[in-house]
Amino acid sequence: MQIDRKTRFLTREEAIYFGLLAAVIFLILPLALDSFRLNLFGKYLTYAFVAIGLVLCWGAGGILSLGQGVFFGLGGYAMAMFLKLEASTPEATAIQSTPGIPDFMDWNQITALPWWWEPFNSLAFSLIAVVIVPVAFAFIIGVAMFRRRVGGVYFAIITQAIAAILTILIIGQQGFTGGVNGITDLRTLKGWDIRTDEAKEILYFVNAVLLFACLFAAQYVRRSKLGRLLIAMRDQEDRVRFSGYDVASFKIFVFCLGAAFAGIGGAMFTLQVGFMSPTLVGIVPSIEMVIFAAVGGRLSILGAVYGTLLVNWAKTTLSESFPELWLLGLGALFIAVVMFFPNGLAGLWSEQVMPRLRKLFAGRGAGARPPAAPVPANSASAPDSPAAKAAAE
Amino acid sequence: MFAGYSAGELTAIFAMQGFAGLILFSVFVLMALGLAIIFGQMGVINMAHGEFMILGAYVTYLVSNTFATHLPDLFSIYFFVAMALAFLASGALGMLVEWGLIRHLYRRPLDTLLATWGLSLILQQIYRSVFGAREVGVTVPNWMMGSLPLTDMIEVPINGLFVMALAVGISVAIYALMFRSRWGRQVRAINQNRVMAGAVGINTERTDRLTFGIGCGIAGVAGSAFTMIGSTGPTSGQLYIVDTFLVVVFGGAGSILGTIASAFTISQAQSVLEFFLSGSMAKVITLLVVVGILMLRPQGLFALKLRK
């Protein structure tokens, strides 16, 4: 058994992979890309936060949330509200009928700042809200659902409905939220102009550092006892429960952690792209975020980052030149990833590429390590699991 | 909230909104019945359900155009032909999808969800390439236009009545199929215990395919009925899918009566609220209440007692 190896924070192999990703994000991309493209990749990396959270929730825990866009949006809106208030000084908005409030409120005949906007005048409060609001929201959903042992497809459908509700609410309450355009025209962060090329480069690196912080946090969870319990719960939930563990608490924790990651990603999105809108909250973006994780490999946090970069890069390239092909390609990707390579890029790497590389350097590797674990059954009915695994292979 | 309305006006408002709610109810029932069969009886999440409906709507559009140019004399009855063709087209596509995609994923419901979402994207793009991105509408036959006045303040549109009649008809047909036919018995047997059903000689694979096909076919008929009350675009199906799933889950998956009851509750709540609040707030509140109730009672309104 390799329990000993598994409890180490990083195996030597994983350390190499982390190093490679760090080299890609901190060296290769900034050196190879111009400022505009780098900002674009910075935007993609904000989705990677969500994908990492999904690897923990879905890949490890078997909880598929189709509402991660909600948390991404809550984090993003918390940041955007602060930036918008900073941009809406009485001097800058002197032409409005009520100076000093965000422009979209003025357009909607609102004459005073709503009370729940007030705290967002403070940067400290906003930064805390970026994490706390999504986590609190996830906690409420998690407690309500997991305590009652709702899981699997029901959980997926209900989180999707929540994403739909929040989108309708944001679009409907135009005066308070900016409506379908979202919160736009964000300029400075404490007087520092976030729209210049330099600022965007700095934000890219801030984003990258935060991403690695989240990666390490996720790695820590996976290596801890909690991580192994999550996998045990995914495969045989009842056995874990009968062993005396409080299954719901673990699920709530990992769901909240995923929400926190998503919130941070959303805030970094707002900072780098300069707006936040309901198009990043709803059903479609939420389910697209799942495909980022699935393409990268639902069991691999590093794979999720590569998957996010790859899918988004393909999306930008394809929709620039062949807009009608993109949806077909994305649809085919959903089907292919489920039918033919359920472990994603990470699975292809560890099942196909690595064994061949090992063979190439035979003699040094001293035998093959077992390939990656088979795809999770994701099956609500526990007794089916072994058969499901067989079917999945 | 009620200030400024007289008692007679309030009655008329409630009656008219109630009737608007009944039309919405029929629409929900039509949408949800196919899904209730696929999700409730087979446990398959079909995210492309909306696209199967839209296929029915586009078939109706094509049939309507064909009748208008080639058989103008029979135009008043084209709708019945269109409905049959919509059922066949969506049903055939459904069986094809079951054979190519779904049957490989029966044990992985979450993966089915993702795969069918991919399918829905592909179908949307195909519709967009074939029929264009703009919404299309059909010409409603004359006898279906206008409205019936009941009192001087209350009147009901005929196309709404037609959709309601259709919803009732299809519900009865499905009830008969599920509980009075050989196929229905097989479906229920497989739902209760797949291995035993196979052991007593039911061809489970064929029944699955047929069930999926019938569910999709009903979606096609629903789409066909929608052309009577609204226009159709490539992404129309996606708008319905969340509502439809909530209706089915709220009703209790597997229970057809529950599906109808939940469609009734949701549609009535939404349409009455819509009059007093904005449309979006009415929808938000209705959905929130539904999600809230589902959190308290995850098994839905009518739960079938089944061994897992």
Side-chain angles (χ1 to χ4, degrees), chain B residues 96-222:
Chain B
L96 187 70
V97 166
E98 201 276 348
W99 173 78
L101 194 64
I102 310 285
R103 72 186 169 120
H104 305 290
L105 302 170
Y106 275 126
R107 290 179 183 280
R108 291 148 61 195
L110 294 178
D111 285 5
T112 320
L113 192 159
L114 294 179
T116 48
W117 181 267
L119 176 72
S120 80
L121 294 181
I122 292 176
L123 288 176
Q124 278 173 27
Q125 187 54 46
I126 293 175
Y127 297 153
R128 196 172 288 128
S129 308
V130 175
F131 297 100
R134 291 183 55 191
E135 299 206 333
V136 298
V138 303
T139 322
V140 179
N142 279 330
W143 59 271
M144 231 185 266
M145 298 215 253
S147 53
L148 288 177
L150 290 184
T151 68
D152 49 354
M153 265 192 289
I154 305 172
E155 51 182 29
V156 294
I158 293 177
N159 58 358
L161 281 176
F162 181 78
V163 173
M164 278 165 62
L166 196 64
V168 172
I170 288 181
S171 307
V172 172
I174 287 176
Y175 180 84
L177 267 178
M178 286 301 296
F179 295 99
R180 293 286 178 269
S181 80
R182 192 181 167 79
W183 167 76
R185 206 158 53 231
Q186 293 180 345
V187 170
R188 285 179 292 134
I190 292 173
N191 189 20
Q192 283 176 7
N193 192 326
R194 174 172 294 269
V195 178
M196 278 312 291
V200 296
I202 296 173
N203 186 343
T204 55
E205 283 189 15
R206 210 191 61 194
T207 311
D208 281 340
R209 194 158 310 147
L210 194 62
T211 311
F212 198 81
I214 289 180
C216 291
I218 292 166
V221 176

Side-chain angles (χ1 to χ4, degrees), chain B:
Chain B
M1 180 163 162
F2 299 118
Y5 299 106
S6 74
E9 279 169 340
L10 271 182
T11 322
I13 289 170
F14 275 107
M16 299 275 281
Q17 290 303 114
F19 190 78
L22 280 181
I23 296 177
L24 191 65
F25 161 58
S26 317
V27 168
F28 276 171
V29 166
L30 285 173
M31 289 193 307
L33 278 177
L35 204 65
I37 292 178
I38 292 173
F39 179 49
Q41 301 300 324
M42 303 172 70
V44 169
I45 301 283
N46 182 14
M47 280 299 190
H49 195 74
E51 278 62 37
F52 283 99
M53 292 188 346
I54 299 308
L55 178 66
Y58 276 123
V59 167
T60 312
Y61 167 71
L62 288 180
V63 171
S64 136
N65 282 356
T66 315
F67 269 69
T69 46
H70 299 294
L71 299 162
D73 300 340
L74 297 175
F75 189 73
S76 57
I77 59 149
Y78 84 86
F79 187 67
F80 300 99
V81 180
M83 251 179 3
L85 287 178
F87 181 83
L88 291 179
S90 295
L93 183 66
M95 285 168 85
L96 187 70
V97 166
E98 201 276 348
W99 173 78
L101 194 64
I102 310 285
R103 72 186 169 120
H104 305 290
L105 302 170
Y106 275 126
R107 290 179 183 280
R108 291 148 61 195
L110 294 178
D111 285 5
T112 320
L113 192 159
L114 294 179
T116 48
W117 181 267
L119 176 72
S120 80
L121 294 181
I122 292 176
L123 288 176
Q124 278 173 27
Q125 187 54 46
I126 293 175
Y127 297 153
R128 196 172 288 128
S129 308
V130 175
F131 297 100
R134 291 183 55 191
E135 299 206 333
V136 298
V138 303
T139 322
V140 179
N142 279 330
W143 59 271
M144 231 185 266
M145 298 215 253
S147 53
L148 288 177
L150 290 184
T151 68
D152 49 354
M153 265 192 289
I154 305 172
E155 51 182 29
V156 294
I158 293 177
N159 58 358
L161 281 176
F162 181 78
V163 173
M164 278 165 62
L166 196 64
V168 172
I170 288 181
S171 307
V172 172
I174 287 176
Y175 180 84
L177 267 178
M178 286 301 296
F179 295 99
R180 293 286 178 269
S181 80
R182 192 181 167 79
W183 167 76
R185 206 158 53 231
Q186 293 180 345
V187 170
R188 285 179 292 134
I190 292 173
N191 189 20
Q192 283 176 7
N193 192 326
R194 174 172 294 269
V195 178
M196 278 312 291
V200 296
I202 296 173
N203 186 343
T204 55
E205 283 189 15
R206 210 191 61 194
T207 311
D208 281 340
R209 194 158 310 147
L210 194 62
T211 311
F212 198 81
I214 289 180
C216 291
I218 292 166
V221 176
S224 183
F226 286 174
T227 58
M228 297 292 110
I229 48 178
S231 51
T232 308
T235 50
S236 307
Q238 212 168 52
L239 302 175
Y240 297 120
I241 194 74
V242 170
D243 287 341
T244 317
F245 266 111
L246 276 189
V247 166
V248 173
V249 174
F250 187 54
S255 160
I256 290 181
L257 185 68
T259 302
I260 294 173
S262 92
F264 183 79
T265 321
I266 294 178
S267 57
Q268 288 301 317
Q270 192 171 320
S271 72
V272 172
L273 278 175
E274 232 163 50
F275 185 80
F276 295 103
L277 301 163
S278 67
S280 65
M281 279 316 281
K283 183 142 196 191
V284 166
I285 291 176
T286 319
L287 292 182
L288 269 181
V289 170
V290 169
V291 168
I293 293 177
L294 278 178
M295 284 179 173
L296 297 175
R297 197 182 151 79
Q299 69 273 41
L301 292 176
F302 294 75
L304 286 188
K305 289 191 175 56
L306 275 184
R307 273 168 211 269
K308 271 206 193 166

Side-chain angles (χ1 to χ4, degrees), chain A residues 58 66 144 148 150 153-154 157 160 165 172-173 283 287 298 324 327-328 330-332 334-335 338-339 377 384, chain B residues 45 47 100-101 105 107-109 111 113-115 117-118 121-122 125 128 242 245 253 280-281 287 295-296 298:
Chain A
W58 176 42
L66 295 183
R148 289 173 190 277
V150 176
V153 292
Y154 286 89
I157 290 171
Q160 187 172 50
I165 293 172
Q173 297 298 309
I283 298 171
I287 204 166
R298 63 182 77 171
E324 69 282 2
L327 267 187
L328 287 180
L330 186 64
F334 268 98
I335 294 175
V338 163
M339 298 274 286
D384 286 337
Chain B
I45 301 283
M47 280 299 190
L101 194 64
L105 302 170
R107 290 179 183 280
R108 291 148 61 195
D111 285 5
L113 192 159
L114 294 179
W117 181 267
L121 294 181
I122 292 176
Q125 187 54 46
R128 196 172 288 128
V242 170
F245 266 111
S280 65
M281 279 316 281
L287 292 182
M295 284 179 173
L296 297 175

Side-chain angles (χ1 to χ4, degrees), chain A residues 309-326:
Chain A
L309 290 181
L310 196 71
V311 175
N312 279 292
W313 174 75
K315 179 177 184 172
T316 311
T317 320
L318 268 182
S319 40
E320 270 170 12
S321 34
F322 315 98
E324 69 282 2
L325 272 184
W326 166 242

